[in-house]
Amino acid sequence: MRLTRRHPLLVAVPLCALAVLAARPTDGGGDGPHAPGHGPESGISAQVARLYEDAAAATLKYETGRREADRQRTEVRRLEKLRDRKRQDAEVLRDDLGRIARSQYRSGGGLPLTAHMILADDPEEVMRGQRALWKANLALDRAIGKNARAEARLARAEAKAAGAWKSLEKRNKELADLKSGIEQKLEAARWQLQGQADASVAAGSCRGAVRLDQPETMFADSWVAPVETYALSASYGSGGARWASRHTGQDFAVPIGTPVRSVGAGRVVKVSCGGVFGIEIVVEHVGGYYTQYAHLAAVAVDQGERVSPGQWIGQSGTSGNSTGPHLHFEVRVTPEMGAAVNPVSWLAQRGVSL
């Protein structure tokens, strides 16, 4: 799935509750045997990931079609204005010819050219006037013919653009219906995935890694954000009634099932289900730092596995002590809670601006 990263929005309402309670997550040794990552239960994780892909593709097609429809509407309006200008130009030419004809009639009284020549004080002046009138008539005839042909072409182009616009509007409605259907399926699948996550947390045993099709993207940078499209919510050090002291991580408000990425290369040192963090993953990086990804709905890696920057390691959720779908991301100097540093500035030092 390739989500388009938008500029994050700061959301004041805290989503993640991390209390120092008696019930602690399991230790670095994991939480016991994991169920195999296969079968109908694991299938929902892959289904959510596929639906995210389908929804993203449908949205891209819809937005592309909408932009093309807007372009066609603009073209129709441009052609209408051009047609109106051409008609105005033709009217001006007709008025000019009318004025010339009336002037000739008043001065000559409709007499034949020979009579004009006999009666005129300057016959050559009469000839020049006749030539001017003839040229004006010829220019007008040519202009009217040219305008008629141009108007016909404009009418054809206008009809073609209008037809293309109507066709695009119809296709966009079909794409909008398809997009809506996918999103409805996705929403149902998200909560089915979350239900499985809640069951795993209640049992204190993870279902095991569900292997997701990784995006075919090689990151040029060594560090990336933990999710691609997000809004920032509760920040590091903020206070809240649900926390014993201060918030120890950065929350990313994302829907259930959003692919969660390892921010850098490292080794998975913990996959845990249960406790205040719900389903969580801890990755060890060079330099003695650890990153935590908590309140997940599913995991896509096993403990001891090595991961690369941007690799999908799980899917976001709202498991554990959480008030809504989001990812709790934390940076520590130890694998356990209690040694957190500001994750926003930590990522910024590594070239990742949230």
Side-chain angles (χ1 to χ4, degrees), residues 11-17 233-235 238-243 247 251 323-324 326:
V11 179
V13 179
L15 295 175
C16 177
S233 52
S235 58
S238 58
R242 295 179 62 86
W243 305 314
H247 191 231
D251 286 353
T323 61
H326 71 291

Side-chain angles (χ1 to χ4, degrees), residues 328-339:
H328 173 78
F329 174 71
E330 197 165 306
V331 179
R332 306 167 176 164
V333 294
T334 69
E336 296 302 327
M337 63 184 300

Side-chain angles (χ1 to χ4, degrees), residues 69-80 157-158 161:
D70 290 342
R71 191 192 69 79
Q72 288 290 351
R73 277 193 291 267
T74 301
E75 178 66 8
V76 168
R77 288 193 291 267
R78 186 190 71 82
L79 290 170
E80 288 174 343
E158 184 181 16

Side-chain angles (χ1 to χ4, degrees), residues 9-354:
L9 304 175
L10 291 177
V11 179
V13 179
L15 295 175
C16 177
L18 301 182
V20 182
L21 306 174
R24 292 284 302 271
T26 54
D27 59 22
D31 55 359
H34 292 183
H38 306 284
E41 286 193 350
S42 63
I44 191 64
S45 294
Q47 180 186 353
V48 169
R50 285 194 300 271
L51 285 169
Y52 265 110
E53 291 276 8
D54 293 344
T59 298
L60 178 61
K61 289 180 180 178
Y62 173 76
E63 292 299 325
T64 300
R66 184 183 58 78
R67 287 193 295 270
E68 179 61 20
D70 290 342
R71 191 192 69 79
Q72 288 290 351
R73 277 193 291 267
T74 301
E75 178 66 8
V76 168
R77 288 193 291 267
R78 186 190 71 82
L79 290 170
E80 288 174 343
K81 290 180 180 178
L82 182 59
R83 179 200 59 197
D84 293 341
R85 285 200 302 270
K86 291 294 183 182
R87 287 175 177 172
Q88 290 172 1
D89 292 343
E91 289 299 323
V92 170
L93 285 171
R94 288 190 184 98
D95 290 343
D96 289 344
L97 180 60
R99 284 193 295 272
I100 293 171
R102 287 191 297 272
S103 175
Q104 289 292 328
Y105 181 79
R106 285 193 299 269
S107 62
L111 292 174
L113 178 60
T114 304
H116 279 289
M117 296 286 292
I118 293 171
L119 298 174
D121 295 332
D122 187 356
E124 291 186 4
E125 182 66 25
V126 174
M127 291 299 297
R128 285 195 293 270
Q130 289 294 326
R131 283 196 296 271
L133 179 60
W134 174 77
K135 289 181 179 179
N137 275 288
L138 182 61
L140 179 61
D141 289 341
R142 288 175 176 173
I144 290 175
K146 182 179 179 181
N147 285 345
R149 292 189 297 273
E151 190 164 325
R153 289 196 300 271
L154 285 169
R156 290 193 298 270
E158 184 181 16
K160 182 179 179 181
W165 170 69
K166 289 180 180 178
S167 176
L168 281 167
E169 285 287 287
K170 180 181 177 182
R171 180 171 178 268
N172 283 352
K173 185 181 182 306
E174 294 171 352
L175 286 172
D177 293 341
L178 173 64
K179 179 173 173 282
S180 177
I182 292 173
E183 288 173 346
Q184 290 176 11
K185 291 179 182 178
L186 178 57
E187 184 65 12
R190 281 170 178 160
W191 288 106
Q192 186 178 350
L193 178 64
Q194 185 59 45
Q196 293 179 1
D198 293 339
S200 296
V201 172
S205 177
C206 293
R207 291 184 294 115
V210 176
R211 301 300 174 178
L212 301 175
D213 293 335
Q214 296 290 327
E216 296 180 1
T217 301
M218 297 298 292
F219 288 93
D221 299 326
S222 300
W223 301 94
V224 299
V227 285
E228 192 168 356
T229 300
Y230 56 86
L232 295 178
S233 52
S235 58
Y236 176 81
S238 58
R242 295 179 62 86
W243 305 314
S245 55
R246 310 296 287 179
H247 191 231
T248 54
Q250 174 63 58
D251 286 353
F252 295 80
V254 289
I256 294 169
T258 300
V260 173
R261 314 185 296 192
S262 175
V263 297
R267 183 175 64 89
V268 178
V269 296
K270 184 178 183 180
V271 176
S272 175
C273 297
V276 294
F277 291 120
I279 299 176
E280 64 165 321
I281 297 171
V282 178
V283 177
E284 180 183 14
H285 304 282
V286 294
Y289 288 100
Y290 299 80
T291 53
Q292 179 206 32
Y293 312 79
H295 303 308
L296 303 177
V299 297
V301 290
D302 286 317
Q303 196 163 295
E305 187 174 334
R306 299 205 66 83
V307 293
S308 58
Q311 179 180 335
W312 289 355
I313 59 175
Q315 290 167 285
S316 65
T318 182
S319 60
N321 193 6
S322 168
T323 61
H326 71 291
L327 169 70
H328 173 78
F329 174 71
E330 197 165 306
V331 179
R332 306 167 176 164
V333 294
T334 69
E336 296 302 327
M337 63 184 300
V341 299
N342 188 329
V344 174
S345 57
W346 186 85
L347 283 173
Q349 292 169 2
R350 287 153 181 79
V352 179
S353 177
L354 299 180

